[in-house]
Amino acid sequence: MTIIYLKNLGRFVFLVLFQALILNNIQLGGYINPYFYIYFILLLPFETPHWLLLLSAFLLGITLDAFTHTFGLNAAACVMIAFARPFVINAISTGTEFMTGHSPSLRNQGIKWFAYYSIILVLIHHFTLFYLEIFRLTEFFQTLVRVLLSSAFTLLLVFIAEYLSFPREK
Amino acid sequence: MRYLLFFLRKHYIYFLFLVLEIISLLLLFNNNNYQSSAFISLSNGFAGTVMKASNNISEYFSLRRVNRILAEDNAKLHSTRSEAFYKTDTNSFYRHDTLFMLEYKYISARVISNSTNKRNNFLMLNKGHKQGIEDHMGVIMGERIVGQVVSVSDHFCWVMSLLNKDSRISGKFKKNNQLVNIEWNGGSYKIGDVKEIPKHVVIRKGDTLITSGNSDIFPEGLLIGTIDNFTIAQEENFNYATVRFSTDFNSLSFVEILIDMMRKEKEDLKNSFKTSDR
């Protein structure tokens, strides 16, 4: 059990630093900002209580906000997907039992399940984030393009990370 | 009461969700109250230290370009020395120094973090209260504008870049002093927008825009950019143009903060007018 806590804590620190120091500096045509750090929320174990999910997502968001100086922006988006996560899992699961202590993964749940799961959550996050950042309707379609392109890029990173972690989780 | 408690216990997740969202949104939209300023100084200290460590490494990669810019600046300064002028006349005029009072002081600062890919971009610099930095000071690079200081901690300050939805620069055409406002509407960090150019102003590609000096932040005559493209509106009363910034926002590593020595006097003057107005 402690192992699981430590693993998630390590992932938290790594992803925040990776996002703040590397991904935030990526410049792709002015439209694409990958937000890979939410991989932490995607990978929390299935039986994480809902309140812990919300609190850890809030903490994750507010930590990242400290780096980008946008107080509450990332936190609001993270809390949103942490809230949605159990509902998404319920909606798309096929009735098979999830093993305790396991995280959602491409290997255990299959590519179709994992694709649905990650696409829905990443889209919710990016939608909330980009529209809160703009907070006007005049740039609606321009922002929509940014949401879609950035989501695609984030998902690409998520899938790369999943494939890289294949051999370890046996 | 029991039912209320029961209700709360049953649906506590929804309340927790709402509470967390409301906290986030309050933080996001009330950037002036005490809590958030306490938060800002906390994060400036913590995130600033981490960013500084990472910047110590990445700084080496831009040394070549920084060198070139410094050399250019040097050359420019050399060309203004008295030795650089050929004396065409033996008459010379003596000017007593007290005629000139220092109005702007420049403090060089290092860019610790910077972004150009967000809708709202900020820079963090390694100068703060301890070096006399305050809110609303202008930030420039050479003769080109960069942004303005929006929050300050002891050793760092946070600068709103020109690439921000809240930033509006009052500028003018260099050729005929016509005033315009320059904004940035997302997309490429090289291109900005000039809206509401009066119809009678003749626009040409390549026209230079400089700061107007109307705001308290920048003095007159700093470079903003050149006209890149323009459209003559048929039905509206104003024309529209895009401007190519002369600052390369993606490669800032050393900038200067402008300290206005007469700022207090200017503010006092304004305030005294306001109070006597009532």
Side-chain angles (χ1 to χ4, degrees), chain A:
Chain A
M1 207 60 196
T2 333
I3 296 262
I4 294 176
Y5 280 116
L6 284 179
K7 223 165 128 182
N8 279 298
L9 196 68
R11 198 180 285 139
F12 183 99
V13 174
F14 173 76
L15 284 174
V16 164
L17 289 180
F18 186 63
Q19 178 72 40
L21 300 181
I22 296 173
L23 287 183
N24 278 350
N25 294 321
I26 282 189
Q27 170 75 47
L28 289 166
Y31 277 100
I32 303 177
N33 313 122
Y35 285 97
F36 179 59
Y37 73 101
I38 54 169
Y39 191 50
F40 170 78
I41 303 174
L42 295 184
L43 282 202
L44 284 172
F46 279 114
E47 72 276 12
T48 317
H50 204 166
W51 61 269
L52 186 59
L53 212 56
L54 286 171
L55 283 182
S56 51
F58 182 74
L59 202 65
L60 176 71
I62 214 82
T63 316
L64 206 79
D65 280 331
F67 282 95
T68 53
H69 220 79
T70 47
F71 295 106
L73 180 66
N74 284 297
C78 282
V79 169
M80 198 65 98
I81 59 169
F83 180 68
R85 201 186 99 138
F87 301 107
V88 173
I89 290 179
N90 272 339
I92 61 174
S93 52
T94 46
T96 46
E97 284 275 318
F98 299 122
M99 280 172 283
T100 47
H102 267 249
S103 303
S105 72
L106 209 157
R107 179 187 165 79
N108 291 334
Q109 270 70 42
I111 184 152
K112 201 175 152 199
W113 189 94
F114 193 81
Y116 275 132
Y117 173 70
S118 50
I119 288 173
I120 294 172
L121 289 184
V122 167
L123 275 179
I124 294 176
H125 177 269
H126 284 40
F127 255 101
T128 323
L129 189 78
F130 283 92
Y131 279 101
L132 273 182
E133 188 184 18
I134 295 287
F135 212 66
R136 345 170 143 152
L137 282 176
T138 47
E139 295 167 23
F140 185 83
F141 290 104
Q142 202 182 339
T143 312
L144 194 65
V145 172
R146 294 184 63 188
V147 169
L148 295 178
L149 285 177
S150 304
S151 303
F153 207 84
T154 307
L155 284 166
L156 182 73
L157 289 175
V158 166
F159 276 88
I160 289 174
E162 277 298 301
Y163 276 109
L164 286 181
S165 63
F166 246 22
R168 270 196 295 116
E169 284 198 17
K170 268 182 183 168

Side-chain angles (χ1 to χ4, degrees), chain A residues 24 26-27 33 35 50-51 54 58 62 66 68-69 71-72 76 79-80 83 133-134 136 139 142 146, chain B residues 12-14 16-17 20-21 24 27-28 39-40 43-44 47 116-120 151 158 165 185:
Chain A
N24 278 350
I26 282 189
Q27 170 75 47
N33 313 122
Y35 285 97
H50 204 166
W51 61 269
L54 286 171
F58 182 74
I62 214 82
T68 53
H69 220 79
F71 295 106
V79 169
M80 198 65 98
F83 180 68
E133 188 184 18
I134 295 287
R136 345 170 143 152
E139 295 167 23
Q142 202 182 339
R146 294 184 63 188
Chain B
Y12 76 101
I13 284 301
Y14 297 94
L16 183 61
F17 168 68
L20 289 179
E21 279 294 332
S24 314
L27 278 174
L28 185 57
F39 209 69
I40 283 170
S43 92
N44 269 357
T116 54
N117 55 3
K118 307 253 168 8
R119 180 63 183 85
N120 297 322
S151 85
W158 194 259
K165 77 171 177 199
N185 286 321

